Amino acid sequence: MTDQQPSSSRFPISISRRLSLIIAGCGAAYLVGGGITVVLSLNISRLHRLVDEERVHIDAAEDISLLLHQLVFEIQHVQFTGVRSKTNLLKLHDKLTTALRKFHQYHSEEEQLRGKQEIHPTLAWFEENVGRLLPMVMPVQAQAAPTARLSAAELQYVVDIAHQLPDRFRDLGAVHEARITRLLESSREYERAVIILFILTVGAGCLLVLVAWRRFHRVIAIPVRSLAAAAGGVAEGRLDDRVTLRRRDAIGELAGAFNALAERLQ
């Protein structure tokens, strides 16, 4: 009796240890999958935030283009009609200069801006031409009536700016639009990774449950059912019933103990 006591005490410990390992494995797998999903979701959120920033840059570029177009139009209007503009051209020029400064600041705050060398030549074109327009704006704004006309070269310069403006605006926003496309593609890749990870996690969980169930059924349920049938036979008086389980684990020890008990009763 003293020799069987440790074996019988180890039986529930062995079963509970196996079940605990299976549960811990499932929990660890789902925790790892959940952690990877959180990381991917944070990356998706970061990419969407970068897309919003790029759209802000495109809006700022559009504001610059519209302000420059308005300034050029007002100068041409004054020169061709001889009528003083109702718009304060100096304030318009200051507003345009401020918008350019902010747009430049957007990029200086970004440490790793892709396509940076493509943006700056176009931005320099805007800054240069806005600066060259100031001497043309000041006399027009200062006169009660625009008696002084721009020279033919100055007027041609203004006309050239008006013709180049649409292309320059497209150049100014093209890099940001390309970067938005790249960011959205990266975001879609992360989203696909989340979906694949979800499918793999669910599939692996279902497979693990199936494997655990089959093992539990083969290793525990069937032997316990055999023990229960043999115990029922002994209870009915069939003392020659035995359990034929050749195993070295806790279930085997239990079967051996039952057979020893049946032999003693017999």
Side-chain angles (χ1 to χ4, degrees), residues 64-80:
I64 292 171
S65 179
L66 291 175
L67 289 172
L68 183 56
H69 181 271
Q70 183 181 0
L71 182 62
V72 169
F73 173 79
E74 293 294 342
I75 293 175
Q76 290 178 319
H77 176 74
V78 169
Q79 291 302 307
F80 289 130

Side-chain angles (χ1 to χ4, degrees), residues 2 41-42 85 96 127 152 154 162 169 203 220 228 240 246-247:
T2 57
S41 300
L42 290 175
S85 175
L96 178 57
E127 293 175 343
E154 290 174 330
F169 169 68
I220 297 178
D240 57 343
R246 297 179 179 178
R247 297 170 52 170

Side-chain angles (χ1 to χ4, degrees), residues 2-258:
T2 57
D3 294 338
Q4 292 181 356
Q5 179 106 10
S7 298
S8 61
S9 64
R10 286 197 302 270
F11 169 67
I13 297 175
S14 177
I15 298 296
S16 62
R17 183 178 300 168
R18 290 184 180 182
L19 292 176
S20 299
L21 288 175
I22 293 174
I23 295 173
C26 293
Y30 277 100
L31 284 176
V32 171
I36 296 175
T37 302
V38 169
V39 172
L40 293 175
S41 300
L42 290 175
N43 283 329
I44 292 173
S45 177
R46 178 182 60 84
L47 292 174
H48 286 179
R49 186 174 63 253
L50 292 175
V51 168
D52 292 338
E53 292 178 0
E54 293 300 321
R55 285 174 177 159
V56 170
H57 294 172
I58 291 177
D59 292 340
E62 184 176 2
D63 291 340
I64 292 171
S65 179
L66 291 175
L67 289 172
L68 183 56
H69 181 271
Q70 183 181 0
L71 182 62
V72 169
F73 173 79
E74 293 294 342
I75 293 175
Q76 290 178 319
H77 176 74
V78 169
Q79 291 302 307
F80 289 130
T81 63
V83 179
R84 180 185 175 90
S85 175
K86 296 180 180 180
T87 304
N88 190 320
L89 300 184
L90 287 176
K91 288 185 178 180
L92 182 60
H93 187 276
D94 290 341
K95 188 176 180 180
L96 178 57
T97 304
T98 302
L100 279 170
R101 188 181 304 112
K102 288 182 178 179
F103 188 82
H104 206 99
Q105 185 178 0
Y106 288 153
H107 298 89
S108 62
E109 291 175 353
E110 295 181 356
E111 298 179 356
Q112 295 178 349
L113 176 65
R114 298 180 182 179
K116 194 172 183 180
Q117 295 180 352
E118 297 178 28
I119 288 181
H120 276 285
T122 304
L123 185 59
W125 179 90
F126 275 89
E127 293 175 343
E128 177 185 358
N129 287 282
V130 169
R132 292 182 63 179
L133 285 174
L134 182 60
M136 305 177 195
V137 171
M138 294 179 64
V140 173
Q141 184 66 38
Q143 296 292 333
T147 55
R149 299 279 181 174
L150 296 178
S151 65
E154 290 174 330
L155 187 58
Q156 184 61 43
Y157 175 73
V158 174
V159 172
D160 291 340
I161 292 178
H163 288 165
Q164 296 179 32
L165 186 57
D167 293 335
R168 294 295 182 172
F169 169 68
R170 282 193 294 269
D171 294 341
L172 195 60
V175 175
H176 293 289
E177 292 175 355
R179 194 179 185 202
I180 286 177
T181 301
R182 291 194 296 268
L183 290 172
L184 291 177
E185 289 177 353
S186 299
S187 177
R188 283 191 289 269
E189 290 178 359
Y190 280 120
E191 291 171 357
R192 285 193 292 268
V194 170
I195 294 173
I196 293 173
L197 179 63
F198 175 78
I199 294 174
L200 291 177
T201 302
V202 172
C206 293
L207 181 62
L208 186 60
V209 169
L210 179 61
V211 171
W213 175 82
R214 287 176 62 89
R215 182 168 179 79
F216 179 85
H217 182 73
R218 181 173 59 85
V219 176
I220 297 178
I222 294 178
V224 169
R225 188 180 303 167
S226 300
L227 283 169
V234 171
E236 293 175 357
R238 298 192 302 271
L239 299 180
D240 57 343
D241 285 358
R242 298 291 184 271
V243 180
T244 57
L245 293 176
R246 297 179 179 178
R247 297 170 52 170
R248 296 182 179 179
D249 56 3
I251 298 293
E253 293 177 3
L254 179 61
F258 175 82

